[in-house]
Amino acid sequence: DIQDFVDAKPDIVVIGKGSPGLMKTSPSVRKYLKNSGIELVEEKTAKAIHTFNRLSLADEKVVAGFHVGC
């Protein structure tokens, strides 16, 4: 799934980690994004949605993935 994010050529990827914030982003994904020059923002999903909307409205090149299962 992360390759779709990278293919979109964003400057920022926002990840929603679920309501309690327990979802983990693997170290390999973190490293891959960093090596691709992409900033990673990880937050509880509700906050991540607000962050994504704020960045989008500010015309940042941003993509997001939200864990909504818990």
Side-chain angles (χ1 to χ4, degrees):
D1 292 337
I2 201 70
Q3 189 60 51
D4 291 336
F5 289 171
V6 173
D7 290 345
K9 300 184 185 337
D11 293 324
I12 306 166
V13 170
V14 177
I15 300 291
K17 300 179 359 168
S19 180
L22 299 176
M23 190 195 85
K24 304 283 188 215
T25 303
S26 72
S28 62
V29 167
R30 287 189 188 125
K31 183 178 179 180
Y32 184 71
L33 291 173
K34 183 177 181 178
N35 290 342
S36 297
I38 300 170
E39 178 184 348
L40 174 62
V41 176
E42 298 178 273
E43 301 171 326
K44 291 181 179 181
T45 295
K47 185 173 181 184
I49 291 168
H50 290 289
T51 298
F52 173 76
N53 288 336
R54 178 179 50 79
L55 293 170
S56 293
L57 290 172
D59 289 328
E60 295 286 348
K61 291 176 63 179
V62 60
V63 297
F66 304 111
H67 179 69
V68 294
C70 60

